[in-house]
Amino acid sequence: MYIHLGGEKIIRAAELVAIFDISIEQSSKLSKQFVAGARKRKDVETIGEEEPKSIVVTKQKIYYSPISSSTLKKRAHYFAANG
């Protein structure tokens, strides 16, 4: 199964590790360090031109998605339940 993250980006549901609201980046020192490390490895991708609303962590990359974390979680839950 696949999950649409916004724009033209689709990932395999099996690759999904976590979905966070974008606000976690400001409130958590650990998340800032995690994203900074991924940036150094060039493993971060921003989807589309809109303001990011969520951070999607996969086994390979971190995506900044314009879709809210609650919507993405619903999509992921749907595929987990019906996959």
Side-chain angles (χ1 to χ4, degrees):
M1 294 293 179
Y2 296 90
I3 301 171
H4 178 247
L5 301 182
E8 296 182 13
K9 181 55 66 180
I10 298 171
I11 62 165
R12 290 184 55 223
E15 294 292 310
L16 182 66
V17 174
I19 300 170
F20 300 104
D21 188 85
I22 195 73
S23 64
I24 195 169
E25 197 171 46
Q26 300 304 317
S27 61
S28 168
K29 183 178 178 182
L30 185 61
S31 67
K32 285 181 192 176
Q33 292 171 341
F34 180 72
V35 172
R39 282 191 195 283
K40 284 183 183 178
R41 295 186 309 273
K42 307 258 191 270
D43 289 338
V44 176
E45 182 178 327
T46 300
I47 301 167
E49 302 293 320
E50 296 176 54
E51 192 71 27
K53 295 179 183 170
S54 61
I55 299 172
V56 179
V57 180
T58 68
K59 294 177 182 177
Q60 305 296 323
K61 281 185 122 169
I62 296 174
Y63 297 95
Y64 282 86
S65 173
I67 299 174
S68 73
S69 59
S70 61
T71 299
L72 290 172
K73 287 176 185 177
K74 286 176 191 171
R75 291 178 185 180
H77 178 73
Y78 172 81
F79 288 119
N82 297 306

